[in-house]
Amino acid sequence: MKTPLTVAPLAATLFCCACATTTGEQSDFGRAGLSSDTGTTAYGTFEVEAGFEADPGDRRAIPLTLKFGHSEFTELYMDWSVYEKVALPGDDGEGVGDLGVGVRHRYWEGASGTSAGLQGFIKFPTGDEDEGTSNGKLDFFAASMVTQEFSNLTLNGFFQLGVIGDAIDDDTDVERTIAVSWGAPTGLGLETFGEVSRRFTDDLDPSYLLFGLAFQNSSTTVFDFGVSLGLNSDASEDAFFVGVTTNLGILGPQGPSVYREPGSGY
């Protein structure tokens, strides 16, 4: 999913955070991995995720995601790799990646810490197929997720169906992704997290194990780092990632009419 050849993207994100016109809401960690949980960006606020991912000798990327809390239960987001470098026969390919636009909605919350959500996502081929930064197709994805919160552990199950290319073509590739992820606080602002995932296509079914640490240095900013390990022969080589998630707060006059306490549903 998501890697800086320099520290500029992260520095720019932190600078934007400092320029927010109002106090930001608490950031929820959920940047790395293939799955999403039911947590959404705080109502009326903007959130930015920036990172650096590297699969040594194969791929490097700088992913950037902008999210907006459209309601207490719904977020809108854009996902884009602002730079990718891909190993190809001969000269390596490089350039921008594909642009994704999506919506995530939490439609149910139970009294025992269980919640469920849906997600829709369209990926536009803004990258260059010849450079290896795009598949050159318009792709559609739909996902469902269920999250269970315990006192010191959060578990999440995720299933996604993807249509790669022309949805009405008989030869269209169909992609299915399943994942189980978890997170647990360790104290001192640190949280461990992990994910086991498998992606099924017509030709390949790579499986991955991801684990890492997230550090919340303020009520609005979370740093993360970790590794992704391939579990079968179809998977890419082991990779590492670092990143930051920061909530910019309510920019301008828009936003909820009632202040929402950070980390709460009110």
Side-chain angles (χ1 to χ4, degrees):
M1 275 184 63
K2 308 178 186 191
T3 316
L5 303 183
T6 71
V7 297
L10 299 184
T13 300
L14 295 179
F15 176 77
C16 289
C17 180
C19 293
T21 59
T22 64
T23 301
E25 297 276 348
Q26 182 173 353
S27 299
D28 292 321
F29 175 78
R31 192 193 63 80
L34 297 179
S35 63
S36 300
D37 61 20
T38 60
T40 55
T41 302
Y43 175 33
T45 69
F46 287 88
E47 192 165 277
V48 175
E49 301 175 354
F52 172 72
E53 296 177 350
D55 179 349
D58 189 17
R59 177 180 178 269
R60 294 175 176 82
I62 303 174
L64 184 67
T65 302
L66 175 64
K67 303 190 293 184
F68 172 68
H70 182 261
S71 74
E72 289 286 342
F73 311 102
T74 305
E75 75 174 19
L76 310 176
Y77 64 92
M78 293 192 305
D79 182 283
W80 191 41
S81 286
V82 297
Y83 179 81
E84 293 186 9
K85 186 170 185 178
V86 183
L88 297 174
D91 295 332
D92 291 344
E94 59 182 332
V96 300
D98 290 339
L99 171 68
V101 177
V103 57
R104 184 163 42 145
H105 176 69
R106 184 174 61 260
Y107 65 86
W108 180 72
E109 292 182 343
S112 59
T114 308
S115 57
L118 297 172
Q119 178 175 277
F121 182 73
I122 301 175
K123 183 172 69 65
F124 298 91
T126 55
D128 191 329
E129 188 174 5
D130 294 334
E131 294 288 336
T133 62
S134 174
N135 63 2
K137 300 176 182 179
L138 183 67
D139 304 331
F140 301 86
F141 301 89
S144 61
M145 64 283 296
V146 176
T147 302
Q148 176 65 57
E149 295 185 3
F150 301 97
S151 58
N152 290 307
L153 177 67
T154 299
L155 295 176
N156 183 69
F158 176 86
F159 174 76
Q160 178 173 271
L161 181 66
V163 178
I164 312 302
D166 190 345
I168 62 174
D169 193 322
D170 292 337
D171 296 328
T172 297
D173 293 331
V174 176
E175 179 184 283
R176 297 166 298 279
T177 301
I178 58 174
V180 175
S181 58
W182 61 90
T186 62
L188 301 177
L190 289 174
E191 178 180 351
T192 62
F193 61 90
E195 178 189 86
V196 178
S197 63
R198 192 158 190 173
R199 177 179 287 164
F200 298 89
T201 64
D202 292 339
D203 301 320
L204 301 172
D205 59 339
S207 182
Y208 297 94
L209 169 63
L210 176 149
F211 59 91
L213 280 174
F215 172 64
Q216 185 169 348
N217 78 321
S218 73
S219 62
T220 60
T221 303
V222 177
F223 294 90
D224 65 80
F225 63 94
V227 296
S228 176
L229 308 176
L231 297 181
N232 61 10
S233 58
D234 288 339
S236 303
E237 295 182 2
D238 299 343
F240 72 88
F241 59 87
V242 296
V244 61
T245 299
T246 186
N247 191 289
L248 306 181
I250 303 168
L251 304 183
Q254 290 76 26
S257 58
V258 179
Y259 176 72
R260 179 178 183 273
E261 188 70 23
S264 75
Y266 302 98

